[in-house]
Amino acid sequence: MLTFELIEKHGDHEEIVYCHDRDCGLKAIIAVHNTTLGPALGGTRMWPYQSEEDALVDVLRLSKGMTYKASAAGLNLGGGKAVIIGDPKKHKSEALFRTFGAYVNSLNGKYITAEDVGTTVHDMAYIFMETPYVTGIPVSFGGSGDPSPFTAHGVLMGIKASVKDKLQTDSLKGLRVAVQGLGSVGSHLVEYLVKEGSTVTVADIDKEKVTHICDKFNVTSVDADKVVTSDCDVFAPCAMGAVINDQTISKLKCKIVAGGANNQLAEHRHGDALMELGILYAPDYVINSGGLMNVFVELEGYSRERAFEKTMQVYDNLLQVFSISRSEGVATHRAADTLAEKRIKSIANLRQHHHGRMARPFSTLKEMTTRQK
Ligand code: NAD
C-alpha cells in the first residue's frame, strides 16, 4: 500500500513526522493522532521492524490508542506515539536518541514522548538533553521513575469498581482473585490485594517469580496454563495480550476480567462474547491508565502523593463505562470508546464556540511542563 493510503486507512491523524539522520542512523516516525484535549503524549518504541510499512502501521495504530486512553482517563492529553526502526540491542547510541530528541523538540510540545517497548529511562535522559518534552526521565532529573506501582494501584481501583458493579460490595475482603503475570504490575497488584484481605492465586511462566511472591505474601499459585480458566471471582491479566480468545473464552470461570495487561481481547468480538456470558470486562485501556496518570503529574511538577491520588480516578472512570454499557446496551469495551469519543467531541465543541477564552489554549500548553530547558 502507498504511504498516504495507509495513513488514510488508519485514522484521522493530525501530523506524521519522518525523522532521518544518516550520521547516527536514525530512522523514526512520530505520529500525532489528536491534540483536541492537549499535547499528544505517548512512548517511543524501538523495534527492528521488517519494513517501513510495518513501522508506519504500528505508530498510526498505537497513537490512536493513546488518544482514547488519555480521553477516557479524563486527562488533558492527546494521543501520539513514536517508533524508531532498529534493534534496541544493537543500534542504540547517545547521538541517535539526542537526534531523535531534537526532532521531538521541533514539534514545540505538540508531542511529548516517554519510554515504551525497547526504550529505557536512560534513553529518555538523552532525549531530555535536547528537549523538555519527554516524561519518564530518571527520578534524579525530577522525573517520576517506574510507573508500574501507579498502574497497579489504578488496576486495584478498577477491580473495586468492577466488584461494586457486578457483586454490589465495597469490600475486596475474601474476594478470590487470580493474577496472571508477576512482573512489575502484577507483583504490585498482589501486594495491594493482600492488604485488602483478598484471597489471591498467582501464576507466571517464570517459576522463580512465583516462589518469591508466594513466600513474600503467603499466597498460593496455579500453573501458568491454568490460571486463565481457574475458578475465581476476578481474573486479573497482567502478562501478555490476547488472553481472551477463541480457545479461552468458553472455559472462563470468573465473574469479572479486570487486569493491567494491554490488548486483552484477541478481537473486538470477544468483548461482546464476554457480555453474553455475563462476565464483566473492565476495558484494558481504562483500567491500566494509572501509569499515564503518573507521567501526566510529572508534567505538572512531580509529586508521588498526587500521582497516587490521581490513580483513584480509575474507579469513577470505570463506573462511567459500566453505566454507558448498561444504558446503551453495548459491551463495555465499546462503551469505553464511546466515553472517550464523547469527551473529545464535547471539548472540540467548546473550543469552537469559546475560542480565545480557553484557560489553556494549545499554543500555551508547552508551558505545562515545568522542566523548561
Ligand atoms: P513485565 O514484563 O514486568 O511482566 C510480565 C510478566 O508476565 C513476566 O513476569 C512474565 O514472565 C509473565 N508472563 C508472560 N507470559 C505469561 C503467561 N503466559 N502466563 C503467565 N505469566 C506470563 O511487564 P509489566 O510492566 O508488569 O506489564 C504487564 C502488562 O501490563 C503488559 O501487558 C503491559 O503492556 C501492561 N501495562 C503495563 C504498564 C506499566 O506501568 N508497566 C502500564 C500499562 C500497561
Side-chain angles (χ1 to χ4, degrees):
M1 242 189 194
L2 295 170
T3 303
F4 282 111
E5 284 176 12
L6 278 174
I7 292 170
E8 236 172 81
K9 187 178 162 203
H10 288 275
D12 304 320
H13 291 73
E14 285 180 15
E15 194 166 343
I16 293 146
V17 180
Y18 277 73
C19 320
H20 175 250
D21 186 88
R22 188 181 297 149
D23 293 335
C24 68
L26 176 72
K27 281 184 187 168
I29 312 171
I30 300 171
V32 173
H33 177 253
N34 191 298
T35 58
T36 304
L37 300 176
L41 194 146
T44 296
R45 182 164 292 195
M46 186 166 185
W47 196 251
Y49 290 100
Q50 292 296 309
S51 67
E52 287 169 22
E53 191 176 309
D54 286 355
L56 177 61
V57 169
D58 209 25
V59 80
L60 293 172
R61 192 177 56 81
L62 293 167
S63 56
K64 186 173 177 185
M66 289 307 295
T67 297
Y68 279 75
K69 185 168 184 161
S71 176
L75 298 172
N76 288 327
L77 288 175
K81 201 91 181 180
V83 293
I84 297 178
I85 302 173
D87 187 336
K89 290 201 182 87
K90 291 189 204 146
H91 301 133
K92 284 190 179 183
S93 68
E94 175 181 354
L96 182 119
F97 283 105
R98 292 186 69 165
T99 308
F100 177 70
Y103 271 104
V104 171
N105 201 51
S106 72
L107 288 168
N108 278 318
K110 191 172 192 181
Y111 169 65
I112 300 172
T113 196
E115 278 174 66
D116 197 69
V117 177
T119 58
T120 67
V121 69
H122 301 293
D123 305 329
M124 297 307 119
Y126 282 135
I127 294 172
F128 185 51
M129 290 175 190
E130 303 300 327
T131 182
Y133 305 120
V134 52
T135 58
I137 55 170
V139 177
S140 54
F141 289 10
S144 59
D146 177 14
S148 57
F150 301 91
T151 303
H153 196 250
V155 173
L156 178 77
M157 293 299 138
I159 291 176
K160 286 190 175 185
S162 307
V163 165
K164 174 82 178 165
D165 190 88
K166 180 81 186 166
L167 309 173
Q168 285 85 46
T169 168
D170 290 316
S171 169
L172 300 189
K173 201 157 190 229
L175 190 83
R176 296 168 308 143
V177 187
V179 178
Q180 179 195 39
L182 301 172
S184 315
V185 176
S187 56
H188 283 109
L189 180 63
V190 171
E191 183 174 358
Y192 296 141
L193 287 166
V194 167
K195 273 192 194 139
E196 297 281 336
S198 305
T199 305
V200 182
T201 306
V202 299
D204 197 294
I205 45 173
D206 183 336
K207 298 245 175 337
E208 271 180 33
K209 282 186 182 166
V210 173
T211 310
H212 173 71
I213 294 289
C214 286
D215 290 350
K216 190 169 174 189
F217 299 111
N218 197 20
V219 294
T220 53
S221 67
V222 62
D223 283 354
D225 57 357
K226 303 236 167 59
V227 65
V228 186
T229 56
S230 62
D231 192 359
C232 59
D233 298 311
V234 179
F235 168 52
C238 296
M240 312 311 280
V243 67
I244 309 296
N245 56 45
D246 285 341
Q247 279 71 48
T248 57
I249 200 150
S250 59
K251 298 186 199 134
L252 293 175
K253 293 192 199 78
C254 57
K255 300 182 181 103
I256 293 165
V257 175
N262 275 318
N263 305 319
Q264 293 171 29
L265 304 174
E267 291 174 44
H268 256 48
R269 65 185 169 85
H270 294 115
D272 302 327
L274 283 177
M275 186 184 182
E276 279 161 30
L277 289 167
I279 298 173
L280 182 66
Y281 171 58
D284 45 18
Y285 71 79
V286 183
I287 192 171
N288 74 15
S289 60
L292 183 63
M293 291 172 174
N294 183 51
V295 290
F296 179 78
V297 172
E298 187 178 329
L299 291 174
E300 298 176 328
Y302 192 61
S303 144
R304 217 176 147 78
E305 292 68 38
R306 226 160 5 89
F308 263 111
E309 208 178 296
K310 209 160 186 74
T311 60
M312 293 185 185
Q313 184 65 38
V314 172
Y315 184 91
D316 288 332
N317 295 346
L318 271 176
L319 288 188
Q320 266 193 72
V321 168
F322 299 150
S323 156
I324 294 172
S325 161
R326 237 186 308 276
S327 64
E328 299 194 1
V330 295
T332 52
H333 65 301
R334 297 188 193 280
D337 287 357
T338 303
L339 174 74
E341 285 163 7
K342 265 190 184 161
R343 181 163 175 246
I344 293 169
K345 217 171 183 175
S346 67
I347 303 301
N349 282 343
L350 185 152
R351 281 267 157 85
Q352 209 175 9
H353 298 306
H354 301 276
H355 195 69
R357 279 191 273 152
M358 291 283 293
R360 244 181 205 171
F362 180 71
S363 57
T364 63
L365 273 170
K366 64 178 170 181
E367 286 154 23
M368 269 178 66
T369 165
T370 53
R371 291 181 281 102
Q372 295 286 339
K373 293 187 81 78

